[in-house]
Amino acid sequence: MNEPELQIPLERLREALDVLVRHVAASAPAGGIAIDHDAFWSVPVASMADVYSGPPELTIGMVSESWSQVEEMIDDEEKAIGYGLVWLADVLRAIGSKVV
């Protein structure tokens, strides 16, 4: 079954990130957000959109590992890859579940 393609304008994505980071910053301690769990259940990217084949096997991810990968790209932009958004999503999910 083919689903319609969803276009995400990159400027709107940037605006969304800015709005949400400002919201978190307004209520977060000055030193940053403390994440009280590191391990999380992860759905492999290759099977996460295949909703017609039943639930995929879960794997275990680590917020600390995802954040480490993101920091490497921050420190050296030549290391930036598209999959970095997946790692950043892991971190954002951990923050989003902690901050109201």
Side-chain angles (χ1 to χ4, degrees), residues 77-89:
E77 285 190 36
E78 289 186 13
K79 293 182 178 179
I81 59 174
Y83 199 85
L85 291 170
V86 176
W87 292 319
L88 181 57

Side-chain angles (χ1 to χ4, degrees), residues 17-33 95 99-100:
L17 288 169
D18 288 345
V19 165
L20 293 170
V21 168
R22 282 194 306 270
H23 171 76
V24 170
S27 61
I33 305 293
I95 292 170
V99 177
V100 183

Side-chain angles (χ1 to χ4, degrees), residues 8-19 85:
I8 307 291
L10 294 180
E11 188 54 37
R12 293 293 286 169
L13 178 61
R14 181 177 288 119
E15 289 173 10
L17 288 169
D18 288 345
V19 165
L85 291 170

Side-chain angles (χ1 to χ4, degrees), residues 53-81:
S53 295
E57 289 286 323
L58 298 177
T59 60
I60 295 175
M62 304 294 280
V63 177
S64 59
E65 288 178 15
S66 294
W67 180 241
S68 177
Q69 295 293 335
V70 170
E71 283 191 306
E72 281 189 36
M73 291 181 287
I74 294 168
D75 294 339
D76 183 355
E77 285 190 36
E78 289 186 13
K79 293 182 178 179
I81 59 174

